[in-house]
Amino acid sequence: MATVREASYELLRRHGLTTVFGNPGSTELPFLSGFPDDFRYVLGLQEAVVVGMADGYAQASGRPALVNLHTAPGVGNAMGAIFNAQANKSPLVITAGQQVRAMTTMEALLTNRDATTLPRPAVKWSYEPPRAQDVPAALARASHLAAMAPRGPVFVSIPMDDWSAPADEVPARQLSERAVAARVAPDAEAVAGLARRIAQASRPLFVAGPDVDASGGWEAAVALAERCRVPVWAPPASGSGRIGFPEDHPSFQGILPPAIAPLAETLAGHDLVVVFGAAVFTYYPYVPGAVLPEGTALVQVTSDPDEAARAPAGDSIVADVALTLAALLEQVPEPAGAQPAPRPAPEPAPPSDPISASAAMAALAEVFPPEGIAVVESPAATLALRNQLRLSRPGSYYFGAGGGLGFGLPAAVGVQLARPERPVVAVIGDGSLQYAVAALWSAVAHDVPLTVLVLRNDEYAILKWFAEFEGEMGAPGLDVAGIDTVAIAGGYGMRARRADDADALRECLSDAVASSAPELIEITVAPGMSLA
Ligand SMILES: Cc1ncc(C[n+]2csc(CCOP(=O)(O)OP(=O)(O)O)c2C)c(N)n1
Ligand SMILES: [Mg+2]
């Protein structure tokens, strides 16, 4: 008779969950013992690293990823990363070991006392199976739920003695064979109504957000924008984990500002705004004003019911974004007017010593391969990167939409594991690198040929900018001078170099991108925010 462990591995196999991101403890050993040959274990040395790697892997592969954490302390360490994964709509099946059932009532060491409450509210479902025999069913339910819109992390706590218990043969096998088709097509009337509104609008504008990319709607978004001859914007950068439209396309006009009043001002003069696959809108900081300018109507297309329900203005259609784009494409007529004028090419950054973050991003753009992927966590240089790099292919950009640092470096490892054929460059601030720095070790240990570019300004530049913007001066703790990132990377066994100027940076970057080993490059950049 099969054990719960055997039945569970068979189920995970059928669900394609054969890569396990984890950091083990005694309570996880009964799951891991006899680890099947066709499974891969990716070790992270701290739980922020584990979940960050799984987040990048799940997003870049488009499929749920499996995480295994060490009971309450492991989940506690992981919380910031789970929060990020939820904002990223990253489908993670997060499991954690639990004390043996016979000793949870007396609270033996490592008992996860209130296991299902601990990861809330950052997971959309949290569960501890009532019997050992229910573990496969819990894993099946978790995997289906994680993959359904809105995608996101789910949690299952598993008592350590469950794994060796005899499984319920038939239900476990039935569960393994079930498939759930979860993409929801839009209501035909709603699509016809939106197509009519687009056709009748005199100056429509599109906003293409992260779920255009995640849903596979990239080409349809380009075709629809070209057909309708509308300008396309990206939603505010700080809350967008992916880009939804080629940023070098002539229809693409730029990134909306992140505060209420300036965002509304940018939309002024357009009588219809259609937002595809984004929240309306992820604002910060607070600059009050009307959400929409006078005379502007808005329609949001989102697969996330909550995103639709909480929007402060406009109408919403809840459905798969790619399916809705395809349905619209069949219905909108081609208008008479001209295509929008393309925005200018990026300005060359003026020379300075040290170079500006913009100049560093321009150097990166010069050597960035067309099939490259950028994973970004360099707060004061994000806009410069977006402007200089102008990424043009689907699945080319990952950014922590939750705003929690510690996503970028491990996510880049996960993205590179999922997409070995595309070179991944992580662009990380000197402060941000420290939140999940042990991901450097995972990149080396698992031979992940990632390039890490660290922008060193010895400060939390974005916070200084923010302080000035808010008029809150004199805060301590905004300088991080003296971190020798090259030495740290060396300590983890990673090849690491310092580039002294833009020429050296280009050379180091081309080498690292072409190499099949992980490499880190540090460049000192001028302090402050780089906006373009
Ligand atoms: C987990 C977490 N802690 C703290 C912050 C607050 N925070 C936002 S940006 C930032 C500074 C980032 O510094 P660095 O990576 O050097 O980027 P720079 O601003 O210099 O470009 C900090 C501390 C955060 N976003 N997440
Ligand atoms: Mg910095």
Side-chain angles (χ1 to χ4, degrees), residues 379-380 429-432 455-462 480:
D430 50 358
S432 297
L455 302 183
R456 177 171 181 173
N457 53 14
D458 289 319
E459 61 172 0
Y460 288 161
I462 189 102
V480 292

Side-chain angles (χ1 to χ4, degrees), residues 203 205 256 261-271 273 292-296:
R203 286 196 67 205
L205 175 154
L256 292 173
L263 196 159
E265 240 167 71
T266 312
L267 302 178
H270 293 277
D271 53 344
V273 173
L292 292 176
E294 199 66 40
T296 300

Side-chain angles (χ1 to χ4, degrees), residues 148-468:
M148 281 189 232
R151 293 180 144 208
V154 297
F155 177 73
V156 186
S157 164
I158 307 170
M160 60 190 288
D161 50 332
D162 285 5
W163 297 108
S164 56
D168 286 344
E169 282 284 355
V170 175
R173 206 169 50 245
Q174 281 170 353
L175 287 167
S176 294
E177 286 161 3
R178 296 188 65 241
V180 175
R183 294 177 77 190
V184 176
D187 170 48
E189 256 176 59
V191 172
L194 178 54
R196 235 179 355 256
R197 286 176 79 168
I198 294 171
Q200 285 164 2
S202 53
R203 286 196 67 205
L205 175 154
F206 290 170
V207 178
D211 285 349
V212 171
D213 195 29
S215 67
W218 183 280
E219 281 82 12
V222 172
L224 189 71
E226 288 174 354
R227 163 86 57 81
C228 299
R229 303 182 182 179
V230 289
V232 180
W233 289 75
S238 39
S240 295
R242 303 169 73 144
I243 59 177
F245 202 82
E247 300 205 325
D248 67 346
H249 190 282
S251 303
F252 187 73
Q253 303 295 307
I255 301 168
L256 292 173
I260 298 172
L263 196 159
E265 240 167 71
T266 312
L267 302 178
H270 293 277
D271 53 344
L272 178 68
V273 173
V274 189
V275 179
F276 293 99
V280 174
F281 286 99
T282 308
Y283 300 110
Y284 195 47
Y286 183 49
V287 182
V291 168
L292 292 176
E294 199 66 40
T296 300
L298 182 146
V299 180
Q300 175 199 40
V301 175
T302 174
S303 61
D304 180 348
D306 188 59
E307 223 165 60
R310 70 173 191 264
D315 303 323
S316 297
I317 297 173
V318 177
D320 183 88
V321 175
L323 293 179
T324 308
L325 283 162
L328 282 169
L329 205 47
E330 286 182 6
Q331 297 203 20
V332 286
E334 192 155 343
Q339 293 285 1
R343 65 188 175 138
E347 295 267 333
S352 62
D353 187 21
I355 64 171
S356 64
S358 284
M361 294 303 95
L364 173 64
E366 278 179 56
V367 299
F368 199 79
E371 71 283 15
I373 299 176
V375 184
V376 181
E377 189 170 288
S378 53
T382 308
L383 290 176
L385 180 140
R386 293 278 293 269
N387 183 45
Q388 297 289 339
L389 220 48
R390 303 202 172 180
L391 296 162
S392 61
R393 296 195 185 182
S396 292
Y397 176 83
Y398 297 94
F399 177 90
L405 300 179
F407 163 79
L409 185 64
V413 177
V415 169
Q416 185 72 89
L417 279 168
R419 306 305 305 262
E421 77 290 1
R422 295 181 64 179
V424 174
V425 180
V427 181
I428 314 278
D430 50 358
S432 297
L433 187 82
Q434 295 303 321
Y435 290 79
V437 67
L440 294 172
W441 182 87
S442 296
V444 174
H446 297 286
D447 252 339
V448 184
L450 166 76
T451 301
V452 183
L453 173 60
V454 177
L455 302 183
R456 177 171 181 173
N457 53 14
D458 289 319
E459 61 172 0
Y460 288 161
I462 189 102
L463 297 186
K464 292 184 180 177
W465 175 87
F466 211 90
E468 199 160 316

